[in-house]
Amino acid sequence: MKVLMLHGFVANYNEVPPGDSSVNLDQLASSGADYVFTGHYHKRCEPRRLNGSGWVATPGSTEIYDFAEEPEKGFYLVDTEGPKWTWVPIEPLHIMQQAKVGSQRDMDPKWYESEAIKMLRGFIDELHSLRKQGYIRIKLEGTLKEGWPTDVSEDRIREAARDPLLLWVDVDTLELNLPPSVARPMAENTDVAEYFRDFGSFAEDIREIHGHVREALEEEASTKTGLLTATQREQFITDWIHRFEAKTFKEAKA
């Protein structure tokens, strides 16, 4: 019996992220393996018969590694007579939860902070009832009455609800809008360089980097999170640092 274990995506079997490499089902069939077991893809896929002979199966990860993942985890047992496939569920060791704090009315940063703390304390109670450790991402949505998203302190939220079962808290303020009175670049045709004109010629670099980032987000962003991968972001970070370090600003000259 031939068994092939592969760490990689399988096209038309796994949901392959745009731009990621993969093999296809015909390539797996041509390997001559009786059973192909694949990893890297964290979701469970039902076993599939390959063209000609052999089977492919992706059991998915045995732990929850991402906030977007489904909680069901497990592995396959295979009786080669048939074959007969049996799914065996297993209980993940930790909890990963996403929660939202939002309001239809404009609220100040302290309100969002207070509601996030309430949400966090409720999550801690859940961890104690399940006797598990956990991670939580609290997403803030709405419009601020005053102040800035950075006025919502992730440190204060963490300090208000410390617990040994709480492994990590992530506070997402990307959907927290500035007060209506605050001008900000929103329109598609907004020239971001205007907002950084005090930086002199460096405003042109900002405009260029901003354009590249927007193009990358439109073409390559994750369909689940709307974000770029760490590898994709790294090239923009490197470019930014290189340009910034190459500039000499007025204050530095003085």
Side-chain angles (χ1 to χ4, degrees):
M1 180 185 299
K2 282 186 177 182
V3 176
L4 171 61
M5 296 182 69
L6 175 69
H7 189 172
F9 293 122
V10 181
N12 299 318
Y13 180 55
N14 308 144
E15 297 174 11
V16 182
D20 280 35
S21 61
S22 64
V23 296
N24 58 49
L25 294 169
D26 289 337
Q27 287 174 310
L28 296 183
S30 67
S31 70
D34 298 293
Y35 295 95
V36 181
F37 299 101
T38 69
H40 193 48
Y41 190 65
H42 287 195
K43 290 183 181 180
R44 171 167 68 111
C45 297
E46 294 293 331
R48 178 181 291 189
R49 183 78 170 176
L50 295 170
N51 291 332
S53 63
W55 290 79
V56 60
T58 301
S61 61
T62 55
E63 277 296 328
I64 300 176
Y65 291 100
D66 188 276
F67 287 105
E69 286 190 31
E70 298 297 327
E72 185 185 25
K73 298 296 178 181
F75 58 90
Y76 285 115
L77 285 178
V78 186
D79 182 348
T80 57
E81 294 297 325
K84 180 182 178 182
W85 296 85
T86 303
W87 174 252
V88 182
I90 58 177
E91 187 72 18
L93 295 175
H94 57 252
I95 304 296
M96 294 192 75
Q97 181 173 306
Q98 295 194 86
K100 290 184 181 181
V101 171
S103 175
Q104 297 297 320
R105 297 187 301 157
D106 297 354
M107 307 299 289
D108 59 39
K110 287 295 183 185
W111 181 88
Y112 282 99
E113 206 169 280
S114 175
E115 291 300 308
I117 291 170
K118 291 179 186 177
M119 185 76 68
L120 183 55
R121 287 174 174 163
F123 179 64
I124 290 173
D125 290 342
E126 181 183 349
L127 294 179
H128 279 276
S129 67
L130 296 172
R131 296 182 179 180
K132 288 187 175 184
Q133 294 179 313
Y135 305 79
I136 186 170
R137 171 182 290 162
I138 303 175
K139 188 173 184 179
L140 308 183
E141 296 182 346
T143 301
L144 292 170
K145 181 188 298 184
E146 60 183 8
W148 302 84
T150 51
D151 293 332
V152 180
S153 171
E154 191 166 343
D155 289 338
R156 284 195 295 266
I157 293 171
R158 284 204 189 100
E159 288 294 329
R162 282 186 171 275
D163 193 277
L165 293 182
L166 185 64
L167 298 177
W168 182 255
V169 181
D170 179 30
V171 181
D172 181 357
T173 60
L174 289 175
E175 298 300 323
L176 200 54
N177 300 318
L178 293 173
S181 59
V182 178
R184 57 197 171 116
M186 286 290 292
E188 291 291 326
N189 59 352
T190 298
D191 183 6
V192 297
E194 285 297 312
Y195 293 84
F196 298 92
R197 56 180 176 270
D198 289 343
F199 285 88
S201 62
F202 191 59
E204 297 299 323
D205 292 80
I206 294 174
R207 175 194 286 135
E208 186 176 345
I209 293 174
H210 175 262
H212 292 328
V213 171
R214 289 193 59 143
E215 290 175 4
L217 286 169
E218 291 174 1
E219 297 175 4
E220 304 174 26
S222 165
T223 55
K224 291 182 179 179
T225 65
L227 303 175
L228 299 174
T229 65
T231 302
Q232 290 168 327
R233 293 195 301 270
E234 185 177 358
Q235 60 179 323
F236 294 114
I237 295 170
T238 302
D239 184 26
W240 174 269
I241 293 173
H242 175 74
R243 293 174 186 240
F244 194 84
E245 290 180 340
K247 293 292 181 179
T248 302
F249 298 98
K250 294 179 181 178
E251 291 78 7
K253 290 179 179 178

